[in-house]
Amino acid sequence: QVQLVESGGGLVQAGGSLRLSCAASGRTFSRYAMGWFRQAPGKDRDIVAAISNSGGSTYYVDSVKGRFTISRDNAKNTVYLQMNSLKPEDTALYYCAADYSLGVRRFVSQYDYWGQGTQVTVSS
């Protein structure tokens, strides 16, 4: 079992940056693949980025490639999402998720553990 707590969301202007953090409980964080998802009002929860347990492999949805970077610090039990060049369409509730797997996972159904979400709002 793992508990996840997101932080770092907020209100920013288009073109600005935010860094989201996800703090995980437990002693086996390095055994979990991690992902960031987002959900806008009235829409499905979709993958933003994912990272393997070691941090050696990553995945990004096309709309954020070149702007967002996912990383993890296993010594701190934390995964990050650096968000640059933010656009109004990035506005959503962002969720951190964990799966007891080594490889990258890209789908909601593949994750068993979820944080409460942190709101990101980008104004035009």
Side-chain angles (χ1 to χ4, degrees):
Q1 300 288 336
V2 61
Q3 294 181 344
L4 307 172
V5 180
E6 303 97 332
S7 63
L11 175 63
V12 298
Q13 293 183 330
S17 298
L18 286 172
R19 189 174 80 156
L20 307 184
S21 297
C22 175
S25 66
R27 296 177 287 107
T28 58
F29 178 71
S30 64
R31 303 295 298 272
Y32 288 84
M34 303 293 295
W36 284 99
F37 293 77
R38 65 187 180 187
Q39 186 169 25
K43 297 184 178 181
D44 293 334
R45 187 176 300 184
D46 294 322
I47 185 71
V48 176
I51 190 166
S52 61
N53 71 306
S54 67
S57 298
T58 58
Y59 167 83
Y60 299 93
V61 69
D62 286 345
S63 60
V64 308
K65 287 181 178 178
R67 300 189 297 122
F68 291 9
T69 302
I70 189 171
S71 62
R72 66 191 297 160
D73 187 339
N74 286 345
K76 296 182 178 179
N77 278 22
T78 303
V79 63
Y80 305 95
L81 185 68
Q82 179 66 47
M83 309 165 68
N84 298 327
S85 301
L86 283 162
K87 304 174 180 179
E89 49 263 48
D90 294 319
T91 295
L93 188 64
Y94 282 71
Y95 295 91
C96 176
D99 180 60
Y100 195 70
S101 301
L102 273 58
V104 171
R105 299 287 181 254
R106 306 180 183 183
F107 304 104
V108 170
S109 62
Q110 294 177 306
Y111 289 87
D112 292 324
Y113 306 100
W114 295 84
Q116 82 287 350
T118 185
Q119 180 67 39
V120 172
T121 302
V122 184
S123 62
S124 61

